[in-house]
Amino acid sequence: MIKALKRLVAPSGLCHAVKIRRGETMQRIVPNVWCQGNADDAGSFYAAILPDASAEVVASYPTENIPDFQRELAGKTLVVDVSVSGYRIRLINAGSEYRPTPALSFIVNMDPLLFDGGEEEARARIARMWGAFLDGGEERMPLGEYPHSKLYGWVEDRFGVNWQLMLTDPAGEPRPLIIPQFLFTGPAPQAQAAIDFYTALLPDSALGMFIAGPEETGGVLFAEFTLAGQWFSAMDAGAGHDFSFTPGLSLEVDCTEQEQIDALWDALSTVPEAEQCGWLVDQFGVSWQIVPENMGSLMQHPGAYQRMLSMKKIIIADL
């Protein structure tokens, strides 16, 4: 599966700091994983498996005036925040409607320079993570040596989240521990158009490494770029895959004011029937949540949760 990587020659819910080895920046974009009633279990699992990780319940469902379809979740966990060396991944405790797919995955860059034991320790940590993720999960690319890494593997864990574990070259450019990756499937390449669109839309964004695909197929073999100061990756996988983007893994953008919410909503939303509670789907099929950065405190207002459920775009003044 995901044949393009083998040719690589270089490296919801409701609705922040990401550590990079060359400084810190606020994490405005937070990946959200849709969990099927098991966010607490997933949070504990990731806190035990990922490097320098912890999990914290940051929101619960109301106990009263909750819609019938959420009745069984009343009073239970709504949001679990997982911190991986300062990088936040948010788990949304919900129903069985959605599940993550390989279209959005997490690259875990294990740099030998981060560990006292160097490459030996980095390899051992990758092996431990691999074994844990594979328990109840699915191997997508075997753990082994590839042209782009001396040790690499792609695995889907028991919760449906996809991880690319990579031993990075300590002589190369330093990379964050966690980098989300877009994988565009379908007959026509989309990665380049998506990168151009996203980097033009969000401030503090830029294209970094870019490797074009073979001339006969076109598209992007591998690209790295920043959005709002955060690292992302993208590639075209071509046709022949039975998955695409879903709300199972969405990207939450925290906004400081209503004007930012309005601008991003107008630019991104292209599927009217998908608009609800700050959620939208863009022209490439990617799900986003455009929310106020103080959403947690706004939800403490009496009746705010119920008012939020009736909204499409979030209107801060009405919460």
Side-chain angles (χ1 to χ4, degrees):
M1 167 167 178
I2 312 177
K3 304 179 183 66
L5 267 181
K6 296 183 180 179
R7 303 192 305 267
L8 190 58
V9 294
S12 132
L14 266 182
C15 0
H16 289 84
V18 54
K19 282 188 179 179
I20 299 177
R21 286 166 48 197
R22 287 184 177 172
E24 297 186 354
T25 183
M26 284 299 289
Q27 185 182 348
R28 283 194 60 207
I29 304 174
V30 182
N32 277 222
V33 177
W34 186 288
C35 296
Q36 300 183 346
N38 52 11
D40 291 297
D41 291 342
S44 297
F45 176 73
Y46 295 137
I49 298 305
L50 292 164
D52 188 22
S54 61
E56 178 186 8
V57 176
V58 297
S60 299
Y61 282 94
T63 56
E64 301 177 346
N65 300 321
I66 191 168
D68 289 342
F69 74 94
Q70 293 179 335
R71 189 71 60 189
E72 64 181 19
L73 293 169
K76 295 183 179 180
T77 295
L78 173 58
V79 179
V80 176
D81 274 359
V82 176
S83 173
V84 187
S85 192
Y87 183 86
R88 183 185 302 178
I89 299 173
R90 176 158 286 178
L91 311 180
I92 304 298
N93 209 37
S96 59
E97 295 88 347
Y98 302 107
R99 183 177 172 88
T101 77
L104 267 172
S105 63
F106 295 105
I107 299 173
V108 184
N109 291 299
M110 300 296 283
D111 189 332
L113 293 178
L114 295 176
F115 307 106
D116 292 338
E119 183 173 322
E120 182 177 353
E121 182 178 351
R123 283 178 172 271
R125 286 176 176 248
I126 288 174
R128 287 197 294 270
M129 282 190 290
W130 181 262
F133 287 142
L134 200 55
D135 183 10
E138 178 182 353
E139 180 184 278
R140 295 197 173 275
M141 290 182 64
L143 186 65
E145 184 170 350
Y146 291 83
H148 61 284
S149 174
K150 293 192 294 184
L151 185 62
Y152 168 88
W154 186 318
V155 61
E156 179 175 305
D157 69 25
R158 67 188 70 170
F159 302 103
V161 179
N162 279 255
W163 303 90
Q164 300 181 57
L165 308 183
M166 183 181 299
L167 180 69
T168 57
D169 181 359
E173 181 182 6
R175 284 170 169 75
L177 179 65
I178 303 290
I179 298 180
Q181 183 179 79
F182 298 89
L183 185 66
F184 294 90
T185 60
Q190 298 186 85
Q192 179 69 74
I195 293 169
D196 291 345
F197 179 67
Y198 296 150
T199 54
L201 177 64
L202 292 162
D204 193 17
S205 302
L207 177 64
M209 176 190 293
F210 183 91
I211 303 174
E215 187 175 347
E216 63 272 17
T217 58
V220 175
L221 182 58
F222 183 82
E224 287 178 332
F225 55 101
T226 57
L227 298 177
Q230 298 168 221
W231 285 55
F232 286 83
S233 173
M235 58 187 298
D236 286 303
H241 295 288
D242 59 356
F243 61 82
S244 187
F245 301 103
T246 76
L249 213 163
S250 60
L251 297 174
E252 172 190 320
V253 183
D254 294 338
C255 300
T256 58
E257 57 191 18
Q258 187 66 48
E259 183 179 15
Q260 291 179 347
I261 293 176
D262 295 344
L264 288 174
W265 190 272
D266 291 344
L268 286 168
S269 186
T270 61
V271 185
E273 58 270 25
E275 297 178 349
Q276 186 173 1
C277 307
W279 291 67
L280 62 81
V281 174
D282 71 16
Q283 61 185 297
F284 306 102
V286 178
S287 290
W288 299 78
Q289 298 178 62
I290 311 301
V291 300
E293 64 178 2
N294 62 336
M295 189 67 158
S297 61
L298 290 171
M299 286 296 99
Q300 301 305 310
H301 298 171
Y305 182 79
Q306 290 74 23
R307 291 192 293 275
M308 182 269 296
L309 288 177
S310 67
M311 295 181 181
K312 293 186 176 182
K313 179 176 68 177
I314 297 297
I315 306 299
I316 298 174
D318 292 344
L319 288 176

